[in-house]
Amino acid sequence: MTRRAAALLGVCLTLLIPSGATAAVRISGHRLVGVDGHTLRLIGVNRSGTEYACSGDDGAGGLGYAIFQGPVDAASIRALRSWHVNAVALPLNEACWLGGYAGLKPDFSGAPYRSAIAAYVKRLGRAGIYVVLRLSGAAPGDHAFGSDQISSSEVPMADADHSVAFWSSVAAKFRRSGRVLFHTFDEPHDVDWACLRDGCTADDSPDGNMRFGSYQTAGDQAMVDAIREAGARQPIIVSGPNFAADLSGWRRYAPSDRLHELMADVSSFDYSDYVVSHASDLRRFVRRYPVIVGGFGDTHCVSTYSEKVMNVIDSIHQSYLAWTWNTVQDYGGCDNALLDDPAPEVNGFPSGYYSGRPSGFGAGVRDHFRSVR
């Protein structure tokens, strides 16, 4: 394409954008396109805590002890940027977002939770960071993920009782946020492809222990429809089954999106590899659809496996988010914790959130992030 033709194309594309519209991340073919109009790869981290801190039992009457795990101020965002992170995934809790049920503390649910999430998303955006808003904490009926003591495992699939309402609300809140993407549900499991798309009756009995029991799930189609009906046009990320370690049926069972802005998600850890063993399948898949590795990591204080994952995804020019931007000091050890700084706390938080000092696992991830162009 000549420079003159490229300039004319740019003018035409500009004219197609409605007056007053905000530039937003979008999908073009099998690639993401950023707010600047250039091809985008999301290279970043998950920020765990927002899916359970708001509902966890603190032993003082009522459920919930915080909204975030760790700081969310400007100095902590600078630590993120020091790793050359351009994306952060925030796992959300539907009961905390919606509020008004499950016995959650009002200080950490409903309007306070929504406002805190929105403020953090805005600060991240001002720093040039894209945000993936992901439903991770779901539970049927008058329950909240994180409030039980049976298991910390996620339910098999989003629930019909709350998840569609959750996405209607979240999408309406962020429909004009150009650096936001939506992820319908994190790591579905023990359900089939048809259930993922259309919903079904699922059984929540982690490790054979009855927790929430039989419940009606919400399918990805209902959640995608809710997002679009709220006026949000950003890309929507959809996972496969088997804890997001299966793309074999994704093309056939992906929900319909009138905007054609769907992105596939996989998870890949040293104990449940997908990316490395399916590298050739991924290369074929990304000829038509973009892919994000929504979570990856090592559990032995090294980054040997993670570096293999990043190398595969680099070779196909797709996106990945390491699990997780938390510290060894407040995450129970170095299993997937990217940060480790034994220095005295800063502002009441482990100092790693401010120094960005990596754990044994995080060192290789940080160095790789900094090398990616």
Side-chain angles (χ1 to χ4, degrees), residues 3 19 35 37 58 71 81 91 94 130 139 143 224 281 294 303 309 314:
R3 291 184 179 179
S19 177
V35 296
D58 71 351
R81 291 295 291 162
E94 64 185 14
Y130 292 84
H143 301 289
V224 167
D281 295 331
S303 59
V309 170
D314 288 342

Side-chain angles (χ1 to χ4, degrees), residues 112-124:
Y113 183 89
R114 295 191 295 269
S115 296
I117 296 296
Y120 189 41
V121 170
K122 189 172 184 178
R123 285 194 292 275
L124 289 169

Side-chain angles (χ1 to χ4, degrees), residues 33-228:
V33 177
V35 296
D36 59 359
H38 296 136
T39 299
L40 170 69
R41 293 181 63 206
L42 301 179
I43 308 296
V45 298
N46 288 268
R47 180 69 195 272
S48 185
T50 42
E51 73 273 41
Y52 56 76
C54 57
S55 60
D57 186 1
D58 71 351
L63 300 169
Y65 57 86
I67 292 174
F68 301 95
Q69 183 160 329
V72 292
D73 57 8
S76 66
I77 293 173
R78 286 195 292 272
L80 279 164
R81 291 295 291 162
S82 74
W83 282 37
H84 294 190
V85 161
N86 74 351
V88 170
L90 286 182
L92 301 180
N93 185 306
E94 64 185 14
C96 297
W97 178 273
L98 294 170
Y101 70 95
L104 303 181
K105 288 184 177 178
D107 288 348
F108 307 127
S109 61
Y113 183 89
R114 295 191 295 269
S115 296
I117 296 296
Y120 189 41
V121 170
K122 189 172 184 178
R123 285 194 292 275
L124 289 169
R126 286 175 174 170
I129 296 175
Y130 292 84
V131 180
V132 174
L133 296 177
R134 175 190 299 136
L135 175 56
S136 291
D142 192 35
H143 301 289
F145 173 79
S147 64
D148 70 282
Q149 300 302 306
I150 296 174
S151 175
S152 60
S153 299
E154 296 173 359
V155 294
M157 182 54 178
D159 63 285
D161 293 335
H162 311 295
S163 300
V164 174
F166 164 84
W167 277 120
S168 293
S169 177
V170 171
K173 183 77 171 178
F174 293 102
R175 65 191 181 94
R176 290 191 173 90
S177 299
R179 291 182 181 270
V180 164
L181 303 86
F182 306 113
H183 185 171
T184 54
F185 187 70
D186 181 35
E187 297 193 344
H189 57 93
D190 298 310
V191 292
D192 62 20
W193 281 103
C195 176
L196 290 187
R197 185 186 62 195
D198 303 323
C200 66
T201 300
D203 182 58
D204 180 55
S205 301
D207 301 318
N209 299 310
M210 183 65 69
R211 181 171 54 174
F212 304 133
S214 180
Y215 73 99
Q216 182 64 35
T217 71
D220 281 317
Q221 187 64 66
M223 293 186 283
V224 167
D225 290 346
I227 291 169
R228 295 299 181 228

Side-chain angles (χ1 to χ4, degrees), residues 300-319:
H300 300 289
C301 304
V302 295
S303 59
T304 306
Y305 175 75
S306 294
E307 291 177 48
K308 293 177 182 178
V309 170
M310 292 184 286
N311 286 332
V312 170
I313 302 304
D314 288 342
S315 73
I316 56 176
H317 310 290
Q318 297 296 316
S319 302

Side-chain angles (χ1 to χ4, degrees), residues 255-273:
S256 174
D257 177 24
R258 59 184 175 81
L259 299 182
H260 307 290
E261 292 278 338
L262 295 183
M263 187 174 188
D265 166 71
V266 296
S267 292
S268 201
F269 292 86
D270 57 353
Y271 55 84
S272 59
D273 170 58

